[in-house]
Amino acid sequence: MKKTIQRTFRVSRYVIYRETLVDYREHFWSFLGAFFGIGIIAFIQSHSLAATENIFLIGSFGASSVLIYGAIQSPLAQPRNLVGGHVISALVGVTIYKIVPDIIWLSAPLAVAFSIILMQYTKTLHPPGGATALIAVSSTGKIPELGYWYVISPVLSGCLILLLTALFFNNLTPNRSYPAHNRFKKLLKKRHQHSHPVKKISHELFRMRRKNHRPVRQKILQ
């Protein structure tokens, strides 16, 4: 019983330490990623699009930035979840709006609930996706007029901008790695494992040849 209490205390102390640890370098890269990711989207909306055209910056991108720049190891922050979650939720939101456009007390919960279920089913759960679906059914003005174009822009195009920015800033230092499970990293690791024995064998052969030639050199010198 005493050992269990001590172990629980050590684990709790470690968890508290990790949660309260301030890593200024980590926060710096999180800040830069979020700043440039959202900044690029906002810049495109304010300078490249007329006021009567597409809405390029939506609120759910802010929530996504928290995950993909501040919690990059989270399963919910991975590229599949970011892009898939938003796109699926946008499709659900637009579809629900077309079916029940004027009944907000029905369309809003249906959009969020269906988007959660489909994200779970497709393994693309991304919490900001619920907001993307909700925006599609509750917004006024230009967004309802977009129809399914809302899925392509601003949702998909904005997600790709956030993703490319995350891939850049989250891999600038050895302490940060994004995505958490990268097929390219696995391939590189396997290639390194295959090349390592070859290098080792080559080194052994070189050492043996050098050892065999040593007596000949000694005789010549004598």
Side-chain angles (χ1 to χ4, degrees), residues 23-39 65 69-70 165 169-170 176:
D23 189 342
Y24 294 103
R25 290 175 298 181
E26 184 77 12
H27 301 336
F28 173 74
W29 292 114
S30 297
F31 171 83
L32 279 185
F35 179 83
F36 280 97
I38 296 296
S65 297
Y69 303 119
T165 307
F169 283 101
N170 290 342
R176 293 171 69 88

Side-chain angles (χ1 to χ4, degrees), residues 60-61 64 81-91 126 128-129 132 155 159:
S60 54
F61 288 161
S64 291
N81 301 75
L82 169 67
V83 179
H86 275 295
V87 170
I88 289 172
S89 299
L91 283 169
H126 189 65
T132 299
V155 175
C159 286

Side-chain angles (χ1 to χ4, degrees), residues 9 43 52 94 142 146 162 211:
F9 175 74
F43 179 84
T52 58
V94 174
K142 185 64 180 178
L146 294 175
L162 293 177
K211 185 177 180 181

Side-chain angles (χ1 to χ4, degrees), residues 85-212:
H86 275 295
V87 170
I88 289 172
S89 299
L91 283 169
V92 170
V94 174
T95 302
I96 295 296
Y97 180 80
K98 288 183 174 296
I99 295 173
V100 281
D102 300 323
I103 313 175
I104 189 64
W105 61 265
L106 181 60
S107 61
L110 279 176
V112 174
F114 272 118
S115 65
I116 292 173
I117 295 300
L118 286 178
M119 283 190 290
Q120 289 176 328
Y121 182 77
T122 57
K123 310 279 187 208
T124 58
L125 192 63
H126 189 65
T132 299
L134 190 60
I135 290 170
V137 299
S138 63
S139 297
T140 58
K142 185 64 180 178
I143 288 182
E145 299 174 6
L146 294 175
Y148 285 105
W149 185 255
Y150 170 75
V151 180
I152 305 300
S153 182
V155 175
L156 178 59
S157 55
C159 286
L160 293 178
I161 291 173
L162 293 177
L163 176 58
L164 292 175
T165 307
L167 291 173
F168 178 75
F169 283 101
N170 290 342
N171 292 288
L172 283 178
T173 63
N175 297 328
R176 293 171 69 88
S177 179
Y178 181 82
H181 304 286
N182 197 338
R183 294 180 180 179
F184 293 104
K185 294 177 184 176
K186 293 180 180 179
L187 290 174
L188 289 174
K189 187 177 180 180
K190 288 181 179 179
R191 184 174 296 179
H192 176 73
Q193 289 175 349
H194 287 303
S195 63
H196 184 69
V198 175
K199 291 181 180 179
K200 187 175 181 180
I201 293 172
S202 301
H203 180 72
E204 291 293 332
L205 290 173
F206 176 77
R207 191 175 65 177
M208 290 174 64
R209 290 179 60 187
R210 191 175 181 184
K211 185 177 180 181
N212 292 333

Side-chain angles (χ1 to χ4, degrees), residues 7-21:
R7 183 176 181 279
T8 303
F9 175 74
R10 288 197 302 270
V11 171
S12 301
R13 187 171 60 179
Y14 176 75
V15 171
I16 293 172
Y17 167 76
R18 289 289 299 175
E19 292 298 323
T20 57
L21 182 65

